[in-house]
Amino acid sequence: MRVLVTGGAGFIGSHVVDALRSGGHEAVGYDVREDPGADVRDPAAAARALTGVDAVCHQAARVGLGDGVADAAEYVSHNDLGTAVLLAAMAGAGVRRLVLAGSMVVYGEGLYECPRHGVVRPGPRAVGDLDAGLFEPLCPVCGADLRPGLVGEDAPADPRNVYATTKLAQEHLAAAWARSTGGSAVSLRYHNVYGPRMPRDTPYAGVASFFRSALARGEAPRVFEDGRQRRDFVHVRDVAAANVAALEAGAPDGVLTVYNTGSGEPHTIGEMARALAAACGGPEPVVTGEYRLGDVRHITADSSRLRAELGWKPEVGFAAGMREFATAGMRGA
């Protein structure tokens, strides 16, 4: 299969290229990092890139928190306009297979259960509560403490920042493309991806990158809130393997199929910081109590559908992955 990988020179995209080639496919990287003319927002360039292509892995995006609105137009331009241009070019070229780099951020807060009211959806956390160090969402009905759980793909979307909103819009565009063309579309909703080639010292990197960069400078990782935020840290090679599995398995025509893509092993951010510090032989993390507006407290999802339907399973465990990441090569901004 000849596969165009947008963002193919990036952190995740480069691993997708490697995995495709290891699986016997022809992977064609398409990335403005390597060619300034390879911009998915350029209709003519996108059309040229699709010549002879059987499928597309769409990894190109502007990533990051997107917690304000000052850069909203840039996020929409790169993520949503870029996706729309690419999909229009695919329709014109007759390319009918797409795997999209989705994100778990479309859910907003994760799943919470109240002892009295069952599953509830707390709203955004109040600034006053965060300033007071009250980080856990409470039941919106009775104010009781909540128990976090795993989010399934059928949970309602509730994006809490600009970046999350653009990732959800990408899925809607892909669904519209699939209905219009009869194409096969899959969105892999990535969790917190980490591993070799992760970018360093950039506002668009994940928390694992910030911790690793601090340790490389001999500094203690600074852990926001109380460090008990739950996440699912999934290794980049496992994410790349999920892309190959989605391409090879195909998907129903005319619809968008969504899969959560995580390790299935929730860990707290504090745990991750301590594991990485230990693997690097660096100073212990410092819990600061700081916070970022737009961050959610807990988000971990159920990835069993991906395992059951595509036969995928993660191969890199948390401890081994952190040991590898402690010495793995990283990229500049």
Side-chain angles (χ1 to χ4, degrees):
M1 191 185 310
R2 181 178 169 88
V3 183
L4 182 72
V5 183
T6 69
F11 167 43
I12 298 175
S14 65
H15 284 277
V16 172
V17 168
D18 290 348
L20 285 166
R21 290 173 178 167
S22 296
H25 301 288
E26 181 183 357
V28 181
Y30 187 74
D31 198 305
V32 291
R33 296 174 183 85
E34 296 182 334
D35 177 2
D39 190 329
V40 292
R41 296 172 295 177
D42 182 338
R48 288 193 299 271
L50 288 165
T51 301
V53 164
D54 302 303
V56 173
C57 271
H58 185 30
Q59 308 294 316
R62 178 167 180 169
V63 299
L65 181 63
D67 56 338
V69 295
D71 53 1
E74 283 296 306
Y75 276 96
V76 171
S77 175
H78 283 86
N79 297 356
D80 299 336
L81 175 61
T83 298
V85 170
L86 176 66
L87 293 172
M90 289 174 63
V95 180
R96 297 290 183 266
R97 185 171 293 184
L98 170 71
V99 176
L100 173 68
S103 175
M104 54 81 187
V105 295
V106 302
Y107 295 118
E109 283 285 357
L111 182 144
Y112 293 90
E113 188 171 354
C114 171
R116 291 180 57 193
H117 299 101
V119 174
V120 295
R121 294 185 63 79
R125 296 180 292 172
V127 171
D129 289 341
L130 295 171
D131 286 339
L134 303 174
F135 302 119
E136 293 288 348
L138 301 176
C139 176
V141 181
C142 67
D145 292 337
L146 298 173
R147 183 177 64 190
L150 301 180
V151 180
E153 288 91 346
D154 296 329
D158 185 18
R160 297 288 176 90
N161 55 56
V162 168
Y163 170 64
T165 302
T166 64
K167 296 306 290 183
L168 183 59
Q170 283 185 308
E171 291 191 348
H172 289 318
L173 288 165
W177 168 83
R179 286 192 298 270
S180 174
T181 65
S184 163
V186 171
S187 178
L188 299 174
R189 289 179 174 169
Y190 301 160
H191 277 259
N192 291 70
V193 186
Y194 74 97
R197 306 176 200 160
M198 200 172 190
R200 66 164 71 87
D201 299 327
T202 163
Y204 309 117
V207 66
S209 172
F210 283 111
F211 292 167
R212 166 71 197 280
S213 295
L215 288 162
R217 297 190 298 268
E219 301 171 2
R222 294 176 60 82
V223 180
F224 281 13
E225 300 188 17
D226 58 5
R228 297 175 184 169
Q229 311 93 302
R230 286 163 52 96
R231 297 292 188 270
D232 185 326
F233 299 98
V234 59
H235 196 278
V236 66
R237 288 196 300 272
D238 287 330
V239 167
N243 276 268
V244 177
L247 279 172
E248 292 179 342
D253 293 337
V255 297
L256 173 71
T257 305
V258 173
Y259 293 109
N260 291 328
T261 307
S263 71
E265 298 179 2
H267 291 273
T268 68
I269 288 178
E271 283 181 273
M272 188 269 286
R274 290 190 294 272
L276 195 54
C280 288
E284 283 287 308
V286 175
V287 177
T288 70
E290 298 171 84
Y291 64 86
R292 297 190 305 184
L293 281 177
D295 272 355
V296 297
R297 178 62 175 173
H298 305 295
I299 176 64
T300 55
D302 182 354
S303 299
S304 60
R305 179 185 293 179
L306 179 61
R307 299 175 187 233
E309 295 186 8
L310 300 190
W312 170 90
K313 63 183 178 73
E315 301 291 341
V316 183
F318 179 77
M322 288 299 158
R323 286 195 298 269
E324 179 201 28
F325 183 50
T327 58
M330 297 179 73
R331 295 181 172 184

